[in-house]
Amino acid sequence: GAGVSQSPRYKVAKRGQDVALRCDPISGHVSLFWYQQALGQGPEFLTYFQNEAQLDKSGLPSDRFFAERPEGSVSTLKIQRTQQEDSAVYLCASRAGELYNEQFFGPGTRLTVL
Amino acid sequence: KQEVTQIPAALSVPEGENLVLNCSFTDSAIYNLQWFRQDPGKGLTSLLLIQSSQREQTSGRLNASLDKSSGRSTLYIAASQPGDSATYLCAAQYNQGGKLIFGQGTELSVKP
């Protein structure tokens, strides 16, 4: 399994619940991105890590969204007090480093908030 | 604001047709432009990447062009096949190491 993996693949939450989405990047990849894709739309940038440092979180829609990558490998996107508008596919992508262009995407986690 | 737009949102063609998908971007100071394919329930697969210094890239039946001055890119698919049915997304990158800004995608259906 050399690709980016994400878990769970599907998550159903009741409004107000907290959720945690996991991303396992390609081994050795330095850069990690999170994107949010609403139904029928293109992905939108949420946040970016270089190793364990979160260099850009300008796309996080509210302070209910929090991402971390404490050891510079696995990353977790946490959403607190989920709302219906949070329903989307959350995509993770990794890249070998800043000097490389290609981002490799995982299959995504489809979050449905009821 | 840096925006990427794709038209049409959906396209249906008979098998064997050549077709063109369009992508436009508002800021011409682009670092590179990428085309992706997305199958239902799947992640994104990179198809072609065009650096800002390049005019086009080719891979098999796919050819992507980049015209920075007009803010446009096209993806040409030759001799389309039912297996080409998917959503095609273009994405602009504006600096080395930067995030991707995606269009809304074109959902392509190739009928046998």
Side-chain angles (χ1 to χ4, degrees), chain A residues 6 21 35-36 46 65 77 79 86 88-91 108-109 111:
Chain A
Q6 293 185 246
L21 312 180
Y35 294 86
Q36 179 190 58
L46 293 177
F65 286 70
L77 177 66
I79 308 173
D86 300 335
V89 175
Y90 291 85
L91 295 166
T109 294
L111 172 65

Side-chain angles (χ1 to χ4, degrees), chain A:
Chain A
V4 178
S5 61
Q6 293 185 246
S7 60
R9 291 293 314 279
Y10 303 91
K11 177 69 179 178
V12 178
K14 293 182 179 179
R15 190 174 57 180
Q17 283 186 333
D18 297 348
V19 298
L21 312 180
R22 177 187 170 108
C23 172
D24 286 80
I26 293 172
S27 178
H29 275 198
V30 171
S31 306
L32 187 145
F33 297 80
W34 283 99
Y35 294 86
Q36 179 190 58
Q37 186 175 24
L39 187 64
Q41 301 296 315
E44 292 194 356
F45 170 79
L46 293 177
T47 188
Y48 162 59
F49 289 87
Q50 186 85 333
N51 296 305
E52 69 278 3
Q54 189 175 19
L55 299 186
D56 187 350
K57 55 181 181 180
S58 62
L60 296 176
S62 77
D63 58 8
R64 296 186 295 104
F65 286 70
F66 172 76
E68 60 182 5
R69 193 185 186 198
E71 298 179 356
S73 177
V74 172
S75 177
T76 303
L77 177 66
K78 299 180 179 178
I79 308 173
Q80 297 177 325
R81 305 182 302 282
T82 52
Q83 304 293 318
Q84 285 190 323
E85 61 263 29
D86 300 335
S87 296
V89 175
Y90 291 85
L91 295 166
C92 175
S94 72
R95 187 179 61 203
E98 285 231 341
L99 298 181
Y100 298 85
N101 291 317
E102 189 171 5
Q103 294 185 23
F104 295 86
F105 283 80
T109 294
R110 180 177 295 279
L111 172 65
T112 303
V113 181
L114 302 176

Side-chain angles (χ1 to χ4, degrees), chain B residues 65-82:
Chain B
S65 67
L66 176 64
D67 184 343
K68 290 196 303 178
S69 62
S70 65
R72 292 181 182 177
S73 175
T74 61
L75 178 67
Y76 174 83
I77 303 177
S80 59
Q81 303 171 357

Side-chain angles (χ1 to χ4, degrees), chain B residues 2 8 34 64 85 89 93:
Chain B
Q2 295 164 337
Q34 301 179 47
S85 298
L89 294 153
Q93 184 175 343

